[in-house]
Amino acid sequence: METITNNKTENTENTKNTETSLKTVLIAGGAGFIGSNLCRRLLSENNKVICLDNLFTGKMENIQEMFSNKNFAFINHDIVEPITTISGNIDEIYHLACPASPPKYQIDPIYTLKINFTGTLNLLQLAREKNSRILFSSTSEVYGEPQKTPQREDYRGNVNTIGIRSCYDEGKRVAETLMMDYHNKYGVDTRIVRIFNTYGPYMDKDDGRVVTNMIRQMLNDEDITIYGDGTQTRSFCYIDDQIEGQIRLMNSDYHSPVNIGNPREISVNKLCEILKTLIDTRSTIVFYPLPSDDPTNRNPDIDLAKKLLDWEPETDLIDGLKQTINYMKTDMSGKELSE
Ligand code: UDP
């Protein structure tokens, strides 16, 4: 493993907590979209952050500006391999390490399964050794093609075990099981968040998600790709709300899964319509076949998060999309936002 702090490569894997920092937090998948936003937030609250990532889908550019912070360290490591050489205390582990975009996690489905089983096992082992609290990022995909809406945590889902999404869906399901088994058998202090579609700055512009695809296409006057007839729904949560929910869950003492997402459900067609009001574009819609096992609906029931964490999303969809568009325009030829 190689650790980089303040742009220097070091042989040791951890540095002592500085006097002023509050907690030492390891973020697996810390160079990804959610992970890098979480690194930034935890650093801003004076924590020491160890970002662990193998850059499979995470990006150095997402974390570059943090290298100047003395409380930040980066370890280039694949969690599928044992994590043996981090010295020192770790108070909390956020396990966000897994490609989350369907085209990316389908590139190598067996690797996706390994990340979720072996990778989660390795992080749980680390949590056990270090006596760390550990939060696993699960997904709304555990509900599969839901026959109940909105989806509540006690709904057990309707998942295809052998489809093109199964490596991710079943991987996340078995990882939830592993988390609970480590909690029950070894007393590891576990948390499980079920993340519903989340968007915002630092999302990979090319990873194939609907929000980034549509914004990129509209900014470049390219065809807007809608899969199926566009009536399938998703519920889009802004990144800052997502992170606030996860931090509150980490600070709670609840071990069973908790949905974190925005209950405002809209169709893909409606999302496209909204984005067209925000971007001055000549793009037109082209319909493509719906990929197999693409869920028809997603809508989190967030009553548990409200009661348990006193949390609910605060960012309006239009405001969040404007932030995302502005971020995506920074290195694209770009057009001005429509007023
Ligand atoms: N989608 C689409 N056009 C795109 C990308 C995605 O119509 O260019 C659809 C996709 O088929 C799905 C929805 O948008 O029904 C959300 O897709 P995304 O990959 O963002 O998330 P997920 O399917 O994992 O919820």
Side-chain angles (χ1 to χ4, degrees):
M1 274 191 255
E2 182 181 81
T3 304
I4 306 173
T5 50
N6 290 333
N7 285 328
K8 293 190 192 87
T9 303
E10 298 179 352
N11 291 327
T12 52
E13 300 296 340
N14 197 356
T15 48
K16 284 261 177 289
N17 208 346
T18 62
E19 282 165 72
T20 49
S21 61
L22 296 172
K23 281 186 281 198
T24 298
V25 185
L26 183 139
I27 304 177
F33 161 48
I34 296 181
S36 61
N37 278 287
L38 184 62
C39 286
R40 225 167 276 113
R41 163 84 188 259
L42 292 173
L43 282 175
S44 76
E45 292 169 354
N46 212 24
N47 298 291
K48 179 175 163 51
V49 170
I50 305 168
C51 169
L52 188 91
D53 206 298
N54 68 345
L55 305 176
F56 181 70
T57 54
K59 288 194 160 42
M60 271 307 214
E61 67 196 50
N62 288 349
I63 54 172
Q64 205 63 54
E65 102 257 7
M66 292 182 253
F67 281 93
S68 58
N69 189 319
K70 66 182 186 323
N71 284 330
F72 181 77
F74 172 69
I75 302 175
N76 190 334
H77 180 75
D78 185 342
I79 56 163
V80 165
E81 304 301 327
I83 309 153
T84 51
T85 52
I86 302 179
S87 61
N89 171 57
I90 299 172
D91 298 297
E92 294 175 352
I93 298 172
Y94 284 84
H95 173 6
L96 294 154
C98 185
S101 159
K104 289 283 162 72
Y105 68 64
Q106 287 162 13
I107 291 174
D108 188 348
I110 296 165
Y111 180 59
T112 301
L113 282 162
K114 272 192 190 165
I115 293 170
N116 281 300
F117 184 76
T118 312
T120 304
L121 189 71
N122 286 334
L123 285 169
L124 277 164
Q125 207 44 43
L126 181 70
R128 196 175 163 211
E129 280 161 28
K130 302 277 186 187
N131 202 18
S132 325
R133 187 172 283 189
I134 178 169
L135 179 145
F136 171 66
S137 61
S138 186
T139 169
S140 56
E141 291 290 308
V142 299
Y143 302 117
E145 170 57 29
Q147 289 162 325
K148 284 188 178 174
T149 193
Q151 290 85 49
R152 237 172 60 160
E153 289 84 350
D154 57 2
Y155 174 52
R156 293 187 183 173
N158 176 34
V159 181
N160 181 0
T161 61
I162 54 169
I164 58 170
R165 286 186 172 237
S166 307
C167 60
Y168 187 75
D169 303 5
E170 295 292 1
K172 292 286 184 182
R173 285 171 70 97
V174 79
E176 286 194 6
T177 310
L178 204 51
M179 292 291 290
M180 284 315 291
D181 287 341
Y182 260 71
H183 174 67
N184 293 329
K185 190 168 164 68
Y186 299 123
V188 174
D189 194 10
T190 55
R191 309 282 183 277
I192 300 171
V193 58
R194 289 187 180 152
I195 301 174
F196 282 66
N197 294 67
T198 298
Y199 71 99
Y202 296 93
M203 227 176 160
D204 184 345
K205 300 171 182 77
D206 301 309
D207 82 348
R209 312 307 294 264
V210 67
V211 171
T212 43
N213 269 8
M214 284 185 175
I215 294 175
R216 199 193 60 243
Q217 290 159 350
M218 289 185 196
L219 288 173
N220 292 329
D221 290 330
E222 293 164 0
D223 290 344
I224 303 164
T225 54
I226 291 189
Y227 305 155
D229 63 6
T231 56
Q232 70 271 32
T233 65
R234 295 293 187 271
S235 307
F236 297 99
C237 181
Y238 189 62
I239 183 67
D240 293 355
D241 291 327
Q242 178 62 240
I243 281 175
E244 180 62 32
Q246 291 193 22
I247 289 174
R248 287 188 192 206
L249 178 59
M250 182 64 107
N251 291 337
S252 77
D253 56 4
Y254 192 77
H255 305 290
S256 294
V258 179
N259 290 338
I260 296 289
N262 191 315
R264 179 180 172 191
E265 182 181 12
I266 61 167
S267 68
V268 167
N269 286 330
K270 182 72 189 171
L271 174 71
C272 180
E273 211 178 282
I274 293 171
L275 284 170
K276 277 183 144 188
T277 67
L278 300 176
I279 302 170
D280 180 18
T281 183
R282 280 176 289 160
S283 298
T284 53
I285 296 170
V286 178
F287 290 93
Y288 282 83
L290 190 69
S292 70
D293 288 336
D294 196 293
T296 52
N297 70 91
R298 281 270 178 272
N299 185 3
D301 182 318
I302 59 165
D303 279 356
L304 180 61
K306 279 186 189 164
K307 281 191 205 107
L308 191 70
L309 312 174
D310 190 24
W311 173 89
E312 62 184 311
E314 288 177 353
T315 311
D316 173 70
L317 181 63
I318 303 272
D319 294 339
L321 289 174
K322 282 183 180 173
Q323 297 290 333
T324 313
I325 294 164
N326 284 335
Y327 168 76
M328 289 189 61
K329 281 162 69 174
T330 53
D331 67 352
M332 298 176 69
S333 55
K335 299 182 161 207
E336 291 311 307
L337 274 176
S338 308
E339 288 310 315

